[in-house]
């Protein structure tokens, strides 16, 4: 086999349709564009979402709310959850293993919900001001 003898499989390649090249081609005169109208003209078409002058759907609907794309990487843990946890040193992998946060969570914050009576040490986990005060009052540490 030589490089100059290689050919694609038969039927794999076919000639591009040449429109507007005479009546004998089967695609002459209007070249498959129909008769008149904006879509038959060169360079004539509407912008995306255009509805012929009617107010487009994306402008008729009200603007409402906002959903952060980074929200799926954030997680919350309550003080009550930490109370039930068996370990004293708490970090993100520990919380994932316990099933308290999702697998995709990257940023974790402890919120002041419930009570905490035992000493815990947070590593790489944030806490709200109220939660931090409760943790430190119980003899814990937020690192």
């Amino acid at each position: 086999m030589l490089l100059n003898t290689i050919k694609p499989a038969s039927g794999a390649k076919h000639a591009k349709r040449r429109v507007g090249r005479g009546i004998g081609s089967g695609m002459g005169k209007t070249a498959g564009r129909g008769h008149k109208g904006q879509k038959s003209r060169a360079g004539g078409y509407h912008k995306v979402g255009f509805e012929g002058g009617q107010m487009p759907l994306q402008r008729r609907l009200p603007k409402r709310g906002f959903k952060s794309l980074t929200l799926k990487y954030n997680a919350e843990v309550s003080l009550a959850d930490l109370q039930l946890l068996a370990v004293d040193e708490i970090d993100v992998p520990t919380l994932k293993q316990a099933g308290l946060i999702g697998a995709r969570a990257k940023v974790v914050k402890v919120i002041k919900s419930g009570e905490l009576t035992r000493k815990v040490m947070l590593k790489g986990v944030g806490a709200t001001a109220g939660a931090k005060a409760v943790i430190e009052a119980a003899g814990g540490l937020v690192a």
Side-chain angles (χ1 to χ4, degrees), residues 64-138:
R64 187 170 176 271
F66 167 77
K67 186 165 179 144
S68 173
L69 295 173
T70 58
L71 202 62
K72 60 189 166 203
Y73 302 115
N74 299 342
E76 288 179 353
V77 180
S78 67
L79 290 171
D81 292 333
L82 297 185
Q83 179 73 29
L84 298 172
L85 215 56
V87 291
D88 290 336
E89 240 179 67
I90 297 165
D91 54 358
V92 177
T94 308
L95 294 170
K96 284 183 183 180
Q97 203 171 14
L100 293 175
I101 60 173
R104 289 197 292 187
K106 291 178 183 171
V107 179
V108 183
K109 205 166 200 182
V110 179
I111 58 169
K112 186 184 172 187
S113 174
E115 290 188 21
L116 182 71
T117 54
R118 62 189 200 83
K119 182 180 172 182
V120 292
M121 188 174 180
L122 299 180
K123 283 190 174 180
V125 177
T128 61
K132 188 174 180 181
V134 172
I135 291 166
E136 287 172 351

Side-chain angles (χ1 to χ4, degrees), residues 47-51 54-64:
K47 63 183 177 187
V48 175
F50 184 68
E51 296 183 16
Q54 172 178 294
M55 188 60 67
L57 182 67
Q58 73 270 22
R59 290 191 60 199
R60 287 197 303 263
L61 297 175
K63 293 198 289 184
R64 187 170 176 271

